[in-house]
Amino acid sequence: ETGVTQTPRHLVMGMTNKKSLKCEQHLGHNAMYWYKQSAKKPLELMFVYNFKEQTENNSVPSRFSPECPNSSHLFLHLHTLQPEDSALYLCASSPGAQSVVETQYFGPGTRLLVL
Amino acid sequence: ELKVEQNPLFLSMQEGKNYTIYCNYSTTSDRLYWYRQDPGKSLESLFVLLSNGAVKQEGRLMASLDTKARLSTLHITAAVHDLSATYFCAGGTQGGSEKLVFGKGTKLTVNP
């Protein structure tokens, strides 16, 4: 595997379910990100982790719970979601070591549908 | 708070024509990124612009940055169908990990 991978690619869940999204990066980066992309809004940053520490929580509801066990893996735990949470969830990574250029590399995304 | 606005949001053009997508941002941003997204796919990095007057070119796409005007442009030269995609600009601030603020995207359709 190369680049940034995400699983599952598609997920359908009920509002009472608990599920998790997984992201893995194979780029040796130190920063990882979760974004939400929906039809109604621009790409929204949700969380940022730098060297496994959360450095940004962009006022995300607590029904979304991130976890970053190491610099290569990032999870997004989901519980009691609402239909308006249906969206494409994108993971990204970047060097994150105060490098000059911090281009973020995106995974393919998880298309989530909440019924 | 950084805000990023793109225009137009939708652009339909004929093959062989030239056009420009504009990206305005509201406050000082250390760097400006352009990304491409094909339908159903993820974002692909195109350019990163770091300083005033920066210009980068790749094939039929050329991006520029004017930090005084807080404006970046993505110029398309002699468009071809393969350029059909949604193009996003994003402003970022310098740091160990960067918080990017994206524009709404410009959906480009190049017609034969």
Side-chain angles (χ1 to χ4, degrees), chain A residues 7 34 36 39 60 78 81 115:
Chain A
T7 55
W34 279 117
K36 175 182 178 182
V60 180
L78 316 171
L81 293 192
L115 301 176

Side-chain angles (χ1 to χ4, degrees), chain A residues 4 37 43 88 90-93 103-109, chain B residues 32-48 58-59 61 74 82-90 100 102:
Chain A
V4 182
Q37 186 177 34
L43 200 62
L88 180 68
L90 291 164
C91 174
S93 71
T103 299
Q104 293 181 20
Y105 295 83
F106 285 79
Chain B
L32 198 293
Y33 298 85
W34 284 95
Y35 284 86
R36 168 181 172 148
Q37 186 177 35
D38 291 294
K41 297 196 175 181
S42 190
L43 277 76
E44 173 191 355
S45 175
L46 294 175
F47 303 107
V48 54
E58 181 73 33
L61 301 177
L74 181 66
D82 287 350
L83 290 179
S84 297
T86 299
Y87 293 85
F88 293 90
C89 65
L100 290 185
F102 282 82

Side-chain angles (χ1 to χ4, degrees), chain B residues 45-64:
Chain B
S45 175
L46 294 175
F47 303 107
V48 54
L49 304 165
L50 300 177
S51 59
N52 188 42
V55 176
K56 290 197 174 179
Q57 183 164 5
E58 181 73 33
R60 301 175 187 273
L61 301 177
M62 183 174 72
S64 65

